[in-house]
Structure formats: C-alpha cells, structure tokens
Amino acid sequence: YTYPPEFEVCDGTASIAKGVKIGQQARKSFAFTYRTLIGNDVDGTEKGYKIHLVYGAMAAPSEKDYATVNDSPEAIEFSWEVSTTPVEVDSSHKATSVITIDSTEVDAAKLKSLEDTLYGTAEKEPKMPTPAEVVSMFSGA
C-alpha cells in the first residue's frame, strides 16, 4: 500500500534522478476534497451528503516503522498530520481553509456544476476550484 507519486512533493520527497529520491525537502501545500453522508431516521444515509473542500493543507508525516522482513511481515502504515493555512476567497470574505456544501440545501444544477468541476466529465478534466470560483458558482455571479 502506498500513496500516489504526485503526493511525494507534499510529503517532502524529491526525485533527483530516475530511481533516486531524497527526503526531508520543503513540502508543497495542497488541497483536497471529501464527502460525508447526511442521514436521519426516515431516509437513513440516503438523505444527502456534504462536500468538504480543504485548501492550504500541509502534511507532516508520522514515524514509519518498517516490519516487512520477519516471521510475521506487515505492510507499512502511512499517516500524516495535516494542518491548514487559510487562502484568499474574495474581497467580501475572510480567508478560509474549508468550504462545506450541503447537497440538501443548495441548487441541484449548481451542485452538479461543482461536482463536474471536482470529478471531471467525459469532456472536462477534474480540477479543484478556487474558493472564489466556488463562491461564484453558488452566488449566481
């Protein structure tokens, strides 16, 4: 089990030549998104969901314990502590690190537009919208 190679710069790993990597380098900030379910006693977890957009994240890796060459080998477990630094939104709002969109409260067409941006379509590559782009999508501007 491992993480995608694109995450290495966020973990402080740099490639200096093909097959040669060094650690303890400057880490790159990143953004990510995740979904949580909204449920109740009538609809269960089918009620809806929230999309969480996280900006300005920095990962600090935890200690790695290698235990693969012994009588009971185990795969390494990766973990990171993540902190955030707020990023600019627009002139009307303070900087933020988190935007949460509730599918049960927003316009369905605007939500679809956000999801098409986040996850891509057959015609469009996925991308993480800036906070200003999210504000624009949902404010109707």
Side-chain angles (χ1 to χ4, degrees):
Y1 307 102
T2 191
Y3 47 83
E6 295 83 1
F7 187 72
E8 289 178 343
V9 294
C10 302
D11 188 44
T13 301
S15 179
I16 58 172
K18 185 173 179 166
V20 181
K21 297 180 182 182
I22 57 175
Q24 300 172 318
Q25 302 304 297
R27 292 184 183 94
K28 181 180 175 187
S29 69
F30 60 97
F32 64 96
T33 181
Y34 64 97
R35 279 178 33 154
T36 54
L37 298 175
I38 300 171
N40 64 22
D41 59 343
V42 175
D43 302 313
T45 57
E46 299 298 315
K47 180 164 177 59
Y49 54 91
K50 291 182 181 180
I51 297 176
H52 307 269
L53 308 174
V54 181
Y55 298 91
M58 292 289 287
S62 63
E63 187 174 313
K64 297 175 187 171
D65 293 326
Y66 295 94
T68 55
V69 182
N70 58 38
D71 290 339
S72 54
E74 297 176 22
I76 190 169
E77 292 183 16
F78 295 102
S79 66
W80 295 266
E81 286 192 26
V82 176
S83 61
T84 59
T85 301
V87 298
E88 291 299 317
V89 178
D90 59 26
S91 61
S92 302
H93 301 90
K94 291 183 179 181
T96 189
S97 294
V98 178
I99 297 175
T100 303
I101 297 93
D102 185 329
S103 71
T104 66
E105 297 181 16
V106 298
D107 178 80
K110 292 177 180 182
L111 179 62
K112 175 149 180 25
S113 176
L114 172 67
E115 290 176 327
D116 288 350
T117 300
L118 287 172
Y119 311 126
T121 65
E123 298 81 30
K124 183 166 77 170
E125 288 291 315
K127 79 169 201 131
M128 182 71 151
T130 66
E133 290 171 329
V134 175
V135 168
S136 177
M137 281 180 194
F138 288 94
S139 67

